[in-house]
């Protein structure tokens, strides 16, 4: 009997609850220090306790997963804690296209895929010398916004970079990627692409609350000037958003273009959940500064379905449940090879 496994973090509760609701056995690969948290939830059938998530690369863990016919659902923690090579070397089947995760982690590859999808993206700056207006320095990989900073000149960039080096957060320039800052209202667009049905489903939108940039608005400008802080963009949580209905047509077309581009550049393309992340400007034009090629934590908002999933399904449908439904449908039609890598 097939089981569904994931790492205990990020959106694991949603993923395993959805899998259980769809009739799968559920397995949590859980760091020992978090065991007591996850033991609270009865929908987790089995625990594989580890000291570090890297243990899933080892034979012992792999054997246990293999014995249970497990399918691993990748999420942000897998990408944050493992290199692309390590992820690709995992022998247990992974839901979706594990090769596309590399395109998420590497900023240059990421830009290439977004350009292929003809998304409107902020200009990347090849050197701090190119900084003219407001720019953002970001780290590679799924760093969750930690160690990011805003900057307006080369001099200012160097000062902030050196501080991060001193703190041990980064090693040097090569750990940072510079991009023009995009102004507007942030929106993180959540999609699911089913290769079985060849359809794109728009699942929901969220906004991220990032510390400490989102707390700055509570401090009057006169006091902001007096304090020397470099705001970071560390994600703390998410809040829901619905879009003006007139924006939805473009939401779908951006998602479809992304799916098409991914099929061209990284076969079999973008299978399952993904997210386009960016801002809407005052003309309702979307600038995408990022994508996630797997389930995002913002979908945790919609465990009971979202204002958009309700238009597609006559039942509460979370992203976790949607993934499990895809596995179930694929199993029924003998199509698992088309949704796993
Ligand atoms: P990322 O890792 O690219 O998702 O960035 C983390 C956070 O930094 C985002 O959620 C945004 O708040 C902010 N951010 C990243 N890139 C940009 C950009 N080009 N313009 C404005 N904000 C950005």
């Amino acid at each position: 009997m097939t089981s569904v496994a994931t790492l205990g973090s990020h959106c694991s509760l949603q993923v395993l609850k959805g899998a259980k609701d769809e009739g799968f056995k559920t397995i949590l690969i859980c760091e020992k220090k978090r065991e007591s948290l996850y033991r609270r939830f009865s929908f987790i059938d089995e625990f594989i306790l580890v000291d570090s998530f890297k243990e899933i690369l080892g034979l012992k863990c792999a054997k246990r997963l293999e014995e249970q016919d497990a399918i691993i659902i990748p999420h942000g923690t897998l990408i944050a804690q493992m290199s692309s090579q390590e992820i690709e070397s995992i022998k247990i089947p992974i839901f979706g296209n594990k090769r596309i995760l590399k395109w998420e982690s590497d900023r240059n590859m990421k830009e290439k895929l977004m350009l292929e999808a003809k998304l409107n993206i902020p200009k990347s700056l090849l050197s701090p010398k190119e900084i003219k207006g407001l720019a953002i320095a970001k780290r590679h990989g799924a760093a969750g916004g930690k160690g990011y900073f805003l900057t307006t000149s080369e001099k200012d960039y160097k000062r902030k970079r050196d501080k991060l080096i001193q703190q041990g957060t980064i090693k040097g320039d090569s750990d940072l990627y510079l991009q023009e800052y995009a102004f507007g209202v942030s929106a993180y667009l959540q999609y699911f692409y089913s290769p079985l049905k060849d359809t794109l489903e728009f699942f929901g939108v969220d906004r991220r609350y990032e510390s400490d940039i989102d707390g700055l608005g509570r401090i009057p400008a006169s006091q902001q000037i007096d304090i020397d802080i470099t705001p970071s963009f560390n994600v703390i949580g998410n809040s829901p958003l619905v879009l003006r209905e007139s924006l939805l047509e473009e939401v779908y077309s951006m998602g479809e273009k992304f799916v098409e581009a991914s099929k061209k550049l990284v076969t079999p393309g973008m299978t399952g959940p993904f997210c386009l992340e960016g801002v809407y400007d005052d003309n309702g034009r979307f600038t995408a500064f990022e994508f996630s090629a797997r389930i995002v934590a913002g979908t945790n908002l919609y465990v009971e379905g979202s204002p958009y999933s309700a238009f597609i399904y006559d039942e509460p449908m979370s992203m976790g449940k949607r993934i499990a439904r895809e596995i179930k449908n694929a199993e029924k039609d003998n199509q698992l090879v088309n949704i796993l890598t």
Side-chain angles (χ1 to χ4, degrees), residues 45-260:
D45 295 318
E46 188 171 325
F47 282 71
I48 298 183
L49 295 175
V50 293
D51 289 308
S52 144
F53 287 135
K54 290 232 178 186
E55 285 178 38
I56 65 163
L57 301 169
L59 284 178
K60 201 171 138 210
C61 197
K63 194 165 163 270
R64 275 189 72 184
L65 289 166
E66 229 167 54
E67 283 166 1
Q68 313 273 2
D69 279 332
I71 294 171
I72 295 179
I73 313 300
H75 55 56
T77 305
L78 187 76
I79 293 166
Q81 300 206 4
M82 266 165 241
S83 71
S84 309
Q85 282 115 309
E86 286 172 330
I87 294 173
E88 286 178 29
S89 76
I90 295 173
K91 295 281 180 298
I92 308 302
I94 291 191
F95 179 78
N97 179 357
K98 65 180 173 190
R99 286 179 290 275
I100 204 171
L101 300 176
K102 185 170 172 184
W103 293 69
E104 172 180 338
S105 299
D106 182 304
R107 293 265 174 211
N108 300 316
M109 291 172 89
K110 173 170 267 178
E111 194 178 315
K112 189 171 167 197
L113 183 46
M114 292 172 89
L115 285 172
E116 182 69 36
K118 299 202 167 48
L119 293 170
N120 176 35
I121 63 172
K123 194 172 158 231
S124 58
L125 309 175
L126 298 179
S127 136
K129 288 189 173 40
E130 290 182 19
I131 300 172
K132 291 208 177 67
L134 188 59
I136 180 164
K138 315 202 272 190
R139 288 166 64 204
H140 292 275
K146 206 173 174 117
Y148 291 20
F149 60 88
L150 295 177
T151 181
T152 44
S153 69
E154 186 182 2
K155 193 170 155 219
D156 176 66
Y157 165 86
K158 285 186 172 158
R159 187 173 63 82
K160 290 171 176 166
R161 175 204 59 192
D162 291 346
K163 210 165 153 188
L164 286 177
I165 294 175
Q166 261 174 22
Q167 288 167 358
T169 310
I170 59 164
K171 291 204 177 71
D173 281 331
S174 61
D175 289 333
L176 292 173
Y177 170 88
L178 269 169
Q179 193 175 56
E180 277 181 0
Y181 188 84
F183 291 91
V185 169
S186 62
Y188 298 77
L189 312 173
Q190 307 161 3
Y191 302 90
F192 186 95
Y193 173 70
S194 164
L196 303 180
K197 294 199 291 176
D198 187 22
T199 50
L200 180 72
E201 296 163 21
F202 176 50
F203 249 79
V205 202
D206 70 287
R207 301 195 68 193
R208 292 187 187 159
Y209 268 15
E210 297 168 335
S211 184
D212 38 16
I213 188 77
D214 284 319
L216 275 187
R218 292 164 58 99
I219 303 172
S222 55
Q223 261 96 59
Q224 288 183 20
I225 288 166
D226 290 341
I227 46 176
D228 178 30
I229 53 162
T230 305
S232 187
F233 292 75
N234 194 16
V235 182
I236 299 298
N238 305 74
S239 61
L241 187 72
V242 284
L243 295 174
R244 286 175 69 154
E245 198 158 307
S246 56
L247 297 173
L248 286 186
E249 198 174 341
E250 201 207 356
V251 166
Y252 275 99
S253 78
M254 287 190 298
E256 277 163 358
K257 283 192 288 185
F258 187 78
V259 168
E260 280 318 304

